[in-house]
Amino acid sequence: MSVWFVTGASKGFGAQIVREALSRGEQAVATARNPQAVHDAFPNAGDALLVAPLDVADQAQARTAVDAAVERFGRIDVLVNNAGRGLLGAVEEADDAEVRAIFETNVFGLLAVTRAVLPTMRRQRSGRIFNFSSVGGIAVGEGWGIYGGTKYAVEGLSEAMRRELAPLGVQVTIVEPGVFRTDFLDGSSLHAAKAVLDDYVPTVGSVRNWATTTNHQQMGDPVKAAKVIVDVAEAAEQPMRLQLGADCVARVEERLADIHAELNAWRDVAVSTAFDEARA
């Protein structure tokens, strides 16, 4: 029996992962800024579920939630850093407060929770971590630059953590979902830059329209995604990256092909910058 610690567990991927874990006889710590929403989502979970209030950007609250988890269950086996928020707008349109707010949740919040959980996993010499990134952490498009910037940060942090923690028995996986039918495009999760500049209407404007018309029509099924994540947690070896969704796979393949083509086109320029004696 494993103990799961899931952030952003009141809805979307977080709630579905908790539900899937509990259905397999696991124990779970479900955290959210609004713990009552978690209680409402899991009214009959019983002693297998601990609900804890957690704003991931609050380091003291993160430590309190982890302490409560260890006191209740004795250990934490799987950490799912799922809590996050979106920001839609051109990079220039986003003001400093809007940028800092999304980095506070998506990057600094992830770090706060991870720092709170890792001492337990290191003592155990075991653990699994799933850090939610996005297909936007690999291939970011217009309108998503600030959001994608937070996910690029998650990718870099997670790659280093995977190498640092592997000798200690802790595996790290970066989760890269495509477009899934969650509440991410709702106003509760996705914020829009207040400034709207006319020059960006042809590019970012179309993305704003897409977000409105696509909401709750996405092709990805979060229930199936949750099952995959719990399956991977039970596997002997986790991948570094876990792409979810056919749209994600297609975008990653396209991005890798673009990188390879550009690298080849500019290869001679790239290698020309070494000292002459180093190239001899």
Side-chain angles (χ1 to χ4, degrees):
M1 181 183 298
S2 296
V3 178
W4 289 65
F5 190 103
V6 183
T7 67
S10 63
K11 61 182 181 179
F13 285 121
Q16 296 300 341
I17 291 167
V18 170
R19 183 168 289 110
E20 180 65 26
L22 291 174
S23 75
R24 302 190 190 193
E26 310 284 40
Q27 297 170 319
V29 183
T31 71
R33 286 182 297 174
N34 178 11
Q36 186 57 51
V38 182
H39 285 294
D40 293 343
F42 301 96
N44 303 310
D47 293 339
L49 178 68
L50 173 64
V51 178
L54 178 57
D55 178 344
V56 295
D58 186 331
Q59 295 190 49
Q61 201 172 45
R63 289 191 295 269
T64 298
V66 169
D67 289 345
V70 175
E71 181 178 358
R72 173 75 166 270
F73 297 120
R75 60 188 297 116
I76 296 173
D77 298 294
V78 186
L79 167 62
V80 181
N81 278 310
N82 163 72
R85 59 188 290 176
L87 180 64
L88 178 53
V91 172
E92 184 185 358
E93 291 174 335
D95 65 28
D96 188 69
E98 291 169 333
V99 173
R100 289 180 183 275
I102 186 172
F103 270 85
E104 191 68 32
T105 297
N106 293 4
V107 180
F108 295 110
L110 179 147
L111 285 170
V113 174
T114 303
R115 281 194 296 264
V117 169
L118 277 180
T120 297
M121 289 187 171
R122 286 191 289 106
R123 283 194 300 270
Q124 296 168 178
R125 285 298 193 263
S126 67
R128 305 295 182 97
I129 298 175
F130 292 87
N131 286 336
F132 265 75
S133 175
S134 163
V135 64
I138 292 289
V140 63
E142 59 269 32
W144 300 105
I146 303 302
Y147 174 73
T150 68
K151 296 307 183 181
Y152 270 66
V154 169
E155 299 263 342
L157 292 166
S158 300
E159 282 194 23
M161 286 170 54
R162 182 177 173 94
R163 296 178 182 275
E164 293 162 356
L165 292 169
L168 306 178
V170 179
Q171 296 191 49
V172 178
T173 290
I174 306 164
V175 183
E176 296 172 346
V179 180
F180 276 77
R181 198 170 300 177
T182 66
D183 295 328
F184 177 74
L185 296 180
D186 290 355
S188 59
S189 297
L190 179 62
H191 302 261
K194 293 187 291 291
V196 177
L197 304 178
D198 289 344
D199 281 346
Y200 294 115
V201 169
T203 52
V204 180
S206 64
V207 180
R208 288 191 178 97
N209 292 335
W210 172 88
T212 299
T213 58
T214 304
N215 193 19
H216 297 300
Q217 303 298 319
Q218 300 96 320
M219 64 183 294
D221 183 345
V223 175
K224 292 180 179 179
K227 182 180 183 303
V228 167
I229 289 169
V230 179
D231 285 345
V232 171
E234 295 175 352
E237 294 294 330
Q238 294 182 195
M240 177 180 290
R241 286 180 169 83
L242 178 63
Q243 283 87 28
L244 296 176
D247 60 317
C248 176
V249 171
R251 287 181 63 188
V252 169
E253 288 178 336
E254 180 182 13
R255 177 65 173 146
L256 292 175
D258 288 345
I259 291 173
H260 191 260
E262 190 169 64
L263 178 64
N264 284 336
W266 290 86
R267 182 181 299 275
D268 290 343
V269 173
V271 301
S272 71
T273 55
F275 283 107
D276 289 341
E277 59 268 27
R279 298 176 62 196

